[in-house]
Amino acid sequence: IRHVLLVFYSYVFAQCFFYLPINVVHTLYSSGPIFVLAIDYLFNGVQITRRQLIGSVVAFAGVLLTVNGHILYQLLGDNDI
């Protein structure tokens, strides 16, 4: 079943290129470990260490800034964009 899921995941990843901009597709693809950590915690009850939690928060903030870079400009006070 693992290989079937991997094939399905690869197919969905390839199809995303037709519907989403390339930067969004790669951002979602690269943020996979954040989702794995959250799902592993919810379904398997794996304990999340403090370092993992901090890393996940920083990674999630990076994903948000990548998807919507205008937030960064607003935080820095450059409202010309």
Side-chain angles (χ1 to χ4, degrees):
I1 190 149
R2 180 178 182 186
H3 296 292
V4 173
L5 291 174
L6 186 60
V7 168
F8 177 72
Y9 175 74
S10 299
Y11 175 76
V12 170
F13 177 68
Q15 290 301 312
C16 285
F17 284 105
F18 293 108
Y19 301 105
L20 296 171
I22 194 167
N23 59 343
V24 174
V25 173
H26 282 288
T27 301
L28 291 174
Y29 179 73
S30 298
S31 63
I34 300 170
F35 297 116
V36 169
L37 183 70
I39 290 170
D40 207 19
Y41 173 75
L42 292 174
F43 291 120
N44 297 328
V46 173
Q47 291 298 98
I48 297 175
T49 65
R50 184 173 182 220
R51 291 178 105 185
Q52 289 173 327
L53 183 63
I54 292 170
S56 296
V57 169
V58 169
F60 189 72
V63 168
L64 287 178
L65 289 175
T66 302
V67 171
N68 189 1
H70 294 285
I71 293 172
L72 183 62
Y73 288 114
Q74 290 175 354
L75 290 174
L76 294 175
D78 188 11
N79 294 327
D80 294 335
I81 295 178

